[in-house]
Amino acid sequence: MRLRSWRDWVRDNDPVYAAARRPGSAEKWAAGVVLVLVAVVVLFLALFDWNMLRGPIGRWASVKYDRQIALTGDLDVNLFSWTPSAVVRGLKVGGPDWARDRDTADVDEVRASVRLRKLLAGQIEMPLLSFTRPKVVLISTKDGRKSWELNPDKPDTGEGLKLPVIQQLIITDGQLSFDEQRRGLTLQAAVNAREAASGAGFLLDGRGTVNGSPLTLKIEGGPFMNIRRNRPYRFEAEVSGAGSSLTGKGAITRPFDLGRFDATLTMEGRNMSDLYLLTGVTLPNTPPYRLSGALNRNERIWTFKDFDGRVGASDLSGEVRVDSAQRLRVDAQLTSRRLDIDDLAAVLGARTRTNAAGTDTEAPVAVGGKLLPDAKLQTERLRTMDGTLTYRAAAVKANEFDVRAVNLGADLKDGILKLDPISFNFNRGEMNGTARINATRDTPYSTVDLRLSGYPLESIIPARNGSVPLSGRALGRARLEGPGASIHDFAGASKGSLSLVVPNGKMRAAFAELLGINASAGLLKLLSGDQSESQIRCAVADFSVSRGTATARTFVIDTDVVLAQGKGTINLGAETMNLRIEGESKKPRLLRLWAPITVSGPLTAPKVGVDLGDVVSQGGLAGLLGAVVAPVTALFAFVDPGLAEDADCGRLIAGAR
């Protein structure tokens, strides 16, 4: 009833309706003019030579995108269809002003059609998109410029390419050339997308180099026929190069929206740091690895999660999240159920040995017999990204340091890497600390502060024949800073302090006596197999470090029978030591040789000896006394009255800490 009432009102009152029902001469003339104009437009479009627009279109596009763009072949357009179509022949898109010698795209022919009804509804759906012999050249410079960016001033959001729905995509004899200068990556690939209803419809097969080593890339997918937005498009991809191999199988969840896909990724290689050359993500040095997990992309966020595998002899699992915005950010949470400490040494820069296949590994070593790793920190890579890292090892395989658990944290921002915490739990005791590495310069500058608490001396000098020569708990601290691209270089140029304190402990009595070269007691105890112990009241070694050389400020070992004091240096760069220890007995001894103990040679294999020069001079003094006074008097040179006093352990320990 309301509709009828409204219709009656329009019929009786609306002038437009009345003019349409009973048109006058003016209305008839207007309708005639409109029909004539429509007919003229239709006739014009039907007879128009679209080639006349090639020049204006090319000039407009060249000005808009600041590069030479031209349509050199015929241009055909068909508008009178439910699927309007166009054919463009000889499309050339030049490079930007810094790469004008190479066209970004050169296509013999492009065919495209759209659905009119979808277009009128504000959507783009293409029944056909075909490229014949396209040649595409993509160049990325060291400073980040990309030849394919038509709007280089627009910020790079890291989101994937979004294309309209294409129900049938055909690529015939396509060629792709990629040159990524920052990573030394070049690729020449053949691209084809066939109409076959079965088998591989899409295939990209490429060869190239990455940092001088061979590179291969292969991507396969089904034919682009009857593609629907809600039907996932499956693909397989393999890339191999720089000693690494990545294999992925998955699906683009919304076809032609390359910013979203899910896949299963397996990656393996000889060193994780090599993955930077393939992915652009900075990773640490590692022994050979193999990891497999779920890879997901959601616009600019890439997630590698629920992965598990091996790195060297250690298991590794966790999640890595990469934000590919204008500045790359990587956040990783990693865990190991059981860590091999040698694999962690490789991460810190020790070199690994592998077989010809690059799969088997031995314990990491420092080149040239060095103790400290000398692998260089690649600062230019650290400056390209930000991120955080947490790593926990719940258990550690048996090792000479008796490490039982590891907890590490890292934060990287604007080229500054902060390590906090650095935590190692031993069977007894622990080491905790922090480090800061300024990688904004080519040669990084580092600051390290490490504290050792409660570490058992038995782990340093193991038991022999069931007897522990030394026992007690050690406290220590290392505060160093300086330049250096590796741990070895840093130590060799550092300044600061090193200290080691044993507040109390026990030492085999024979060794305690020999600190003072007590021949009558020490040698007798050793030869007789005496296993008795002497009390260590305190031991303090405090060194100042300058230009990589640690010089003893305080070096005291105070036992209940001998007070030993030392001096000398440790060269952290050359990894050698030159120490001299002189002992004084606290008790009278008949046969005592006043001869300092020397500790010298490389840190990895120090040599302990006796300064025989002092023994000779002591014997010379005895001979002189025997000739001048009496034979019995010659024994005085070997008698120790035992006048040494206890050291002030409280003051020494406080000073060292």
Side-chain angles (χ1 to χ4, degrees):
M1 292 178 62
R2 291 182 178 178
L3 288 174
R4 289 194 190 99
S5 175
W6 178 77
R7 181 196 63 189
D8 293 341
W9 184 90
V10 169
R11 182 178 58 192
D12 297 338
N13 298 283
D14 186 36
V16 176
Y17 179 79
R21 289 195 63 190
R22 295 182 295 274
S25 59
E27 286 81 3
K28 293 177 181 179
W29 273 102
V33 170
V34 171
L35 290 174
V36 169
L37 289 175
V38 171
V40 169
V41 171
V42 171
L43 183 62
F44 173 79
L45 293 176
L47 300 177
F48 180 70
D49 183 3
W50 291 94
N51 287 321
M52 296 176 61
L53 294 180
R54 293 181 305 174
I57 292 174
R59 288 190 292 273
W60 170 83
S62 299
V63 172
K64 180 175 178 60
Y65 297 114
D66 194 25
R67 63 179 68 205
Q68 188 66 34
I69 299 177
L71 284 68
T72 61
D74 290 338
L75 174 61
D76 295 330
V77 179
N78 178 18
L79 297 178
F80 302 103
S81 171
W82 288 113
T83 56
S85 61
V87 179
V88 180
R89 297 180 179 86
L91 173 62
K92 289 185 179 293
V93 180
D97 55 359
W98 49 269
R100 292 192 182 277
D101 56 329
R102 302 184 69 184
D103 291 337
T104 299
D106 187 348
V107 189
D108 282 3
E109 181 180 276
V110 181
R111 291 179 178 268
S113 62
V114 296
R115 294 196 184 279
L116 184 59
R117 284 176 294 181
K118 292 285 187 179
L119 188 62
L120 295 176
Q123 302 175 7
I124 299 178
E125 183 176 305
M126 305 182 69
L128 173 66
L129 181 60
S130 172
F131 298 93
T132 301
R133 288 181 291 279
K135 297 179 182 179
V136 178
V137 177
L138 307 178
I139 303 172
S140 177
T141 63
K142 291 183 178 180
D143 57 4
R145 294 178 297 176
K146 299 177 176 63
S147 66
W148 62 90
E149 288 184 338
L150 297 179
N151 295 305
D153 296 332
K154 183 179 179 180
D156 184 6
T157 62
E159 298 180 356
L161 179 65
K162 294 179 176 61
L163 300 174
V165 175
I166 304 171
Q167 292 185 335
Q168 188 175 14
L169 174 64
I170 301 173
I171 302 175
T172 304
D173 296 334
Q175 297 181 28
L176 172 66
S177 176
F178 184 58
D179 182 7
E180 212 280 19
Q181 298 172 2
R182 178 179 293 173
R183 289 175 281 164
L185 190 155
T186 63
L187 180 71
Q188 301 292 329
V191 186
N192 286 279
R194 303 180 180 89
E195 301 179 71
S198 61
F202 176 81
L203 176 62
L204 186 152
D205 192 0
R207 301 287 186 274
T209 61
V210 53
N211 200 30
S213 66
L215 171 70
T216 61
L217 172 64
K218 187 176 184 180
I219 303 176
E220 292 184 87
F224 289 98
M225 296 182 65
N226 300 319
I227 300 296
R228 294 290 182 269
R229 179 71 77 179
N230 58 354
R231 184 187 304 168
Y233 177 79
R234 301 199 171 276
F235 69 90
E236 296 182 8
E238 296 180 6
V239 58
S240 178
S244 304
S245 176
L246 287 79
T247 302
K249 296 182 179 180
I252 300 174
T253 54
R254 294 172 61 87
F256 300 106
D257 182 356
L258 303 184
R260 300 176 187 271
F261 67 79
D262 295 301
T264 298
L265 174 65
T266 299
M267 56 184 185
E268 58 183 320
R270 63 193 179 195
N271 190 333
M272 251 187 222
S273 68
D274 295 335
L275 285 175
Y276 171 81
L277 300 172
L278 300 179
T279 66
V281 177
T282 301
L283 296 170
N285 292 306
T286 68
Y289 66 93
R290 191 179 193 277
L291 301 172
S292 182
L295 178 66
N296 168 266
R297 181 179 185 182
N298 186 1
E299 301 297 349
R300 71 183 193 186
I301 305 299
W302 299 67
T303 306
F304 186 42
K305 60 183 179 180
D306 300 328
F307 67 83
D308 200 357
R310 310 290 297 180
V311 178
S314 308
D315 66 276
L316 185 68
S317 59
E319 178 176 320
V320 178
R321 182 179 182 272
V322 179
D323 187 341
S324 59
Q326 191 167 12
R327 181 168 178 82
L328 192 68
R329 179 176 179 84
V330 179
D331 297 287
Q333 296 178 339
L334 308 176
T335 59
S336 292
R337 294 182 295 274
R338 190 170 176 81
L339 168 71
D340 189 321
I341 202 68
D342 290 335
D343 298 330
L344 184 59
V347 172
L348 297 176
R351 310 292 180 87
T352 57
R353 297 190 183 105
T354 59
N355 61 11
T359 54
D360 295 335
T361 179
E362 300 177 8
V365 296
V367 175
K370 298 299 183 183
L371 178 65
L372 300 175
D374 64 349
K376 304 295 183 183
L377 180 67
Q378 295 172 312
T379 56
E380 70 282 356
R381 297 184 182 182
L382 290 180
R383 293 194 290 264
T384 63
M385 57 176 273
D386 299 328
T388 60
L389 166 71
T390 61
Y391 173 77
R392 290 179 175 83
V396 181
K397 294 181 180 180
N399 57 89
E400 60 182 338
F401 299 105
D402 211 9
V403 179
R404 298 298 178 92
V406 176
N407 182 14
L408 302 174
D411 183 276
L412 174 63
K413 185 173 179 58
D414 297 330
I416 306 295
L417 177 61
K418 298 178 181 178
L419 302 177
D420 185 10
I422 302 173
S423 178
F424 293 84
N425 291 335
F426 306 100
N427 180 29
R428 288 178 293 169
E430 60 184 14
M431 183 178 74
N432 297 287
T434 62
R436 182 181 185 274
I437 302 174
N438 184 346
T440 58
R441 296 176 278 184
D442 291 339
T443 301
Y445 192 90
S446 305
T447 303
V448 176
D449 189 353
L450 300 175
R451 292 177 180 267
L452 180 69
S453 60
Y455 190 75
L457 297 177
E458 303 93 297
S459 297
I460 301 176
I461 304 178
R464 292 183 179 180
N465 300 323
S467 174
V468 178
L470 195 64
S471 65
R473 297 294 184 89
L475 308 174
R477 188 172 187 181
R479 289 181 290 181
L480 300 173
E481 63 176 290
S486 68
I487 295 179
H488 181 268
D489 292 346
F490 162 72
S494 62
K495 63 180 180 180
S497 63
L498 297 172
S499 60
L500 183 68
V501 173
V502 180
N504 55 71
K506 293 183 179 180
M507 176 185 293
R508 188 175 168 185
F511 295 145
E513 293 285 359
L514 288 176
L515 284 175
I517 310 297
N518 187 347
S520 62
L523 292 176
L524 183 61
K525 289 178 183 291
L526 277 178
L527 294 175
S528 64
D530 187 296
Q531 300 295 323
S532 63
E533 295 179 327
S534 293
Q535 186 71 28
I536 300 177
R537 297 185 63 253
C538 66
V540 177
D542 186 23
F543 293 82
S544 64
V545 182
S546 178
R547 296 182 179 180
T549 299
T551 303
R553 293 182 295 198
T554 303
F555 194 164
V556 172
I557 303 174
D558 186 17
T559 71
D560 55 1
V561 293
V562 171
L563 173 64
Q565 301 187 64
K567 60 183 178 180
T569 61
I570 300 175
N571 190 317
L572 301 178
E575 296 187 4
T576 59
M577 56 172 37
N578 185 14
L579 301 176
R580 179 185 176 98
I581 303 172
E582 298 181 357
E584 280 188 84
S585 177
K586 295 182 178 181
K587 299 178 180 180
R589 294 290 185 254
L590 176 60
L591 295 178
R592 194 267 189 182
L593 302 179
W594 287 287
I597 295 174
T598 60
V599 184
S600 61
L603 296 179
T604 53
K607 296 179 180 179
V608 180
V610 177
D611 189 344
L612 298 179
D614 283 24
V615 176
V616 172
S617 62
Q618 187 177 352
L621 175 61
L624 180 62
L625 289 175
V628 176
V629 185
V632 174
T633 313
L635 292 176
F636 291 164
F638 300 94
V639 175
D640 189 341
L643 300 179
E645 298 181 358
D646 291 343
D648 187 351
C649 288
R651 180 183 61 81
L652 294 175
I653 293 174
R657 290 182 179 178

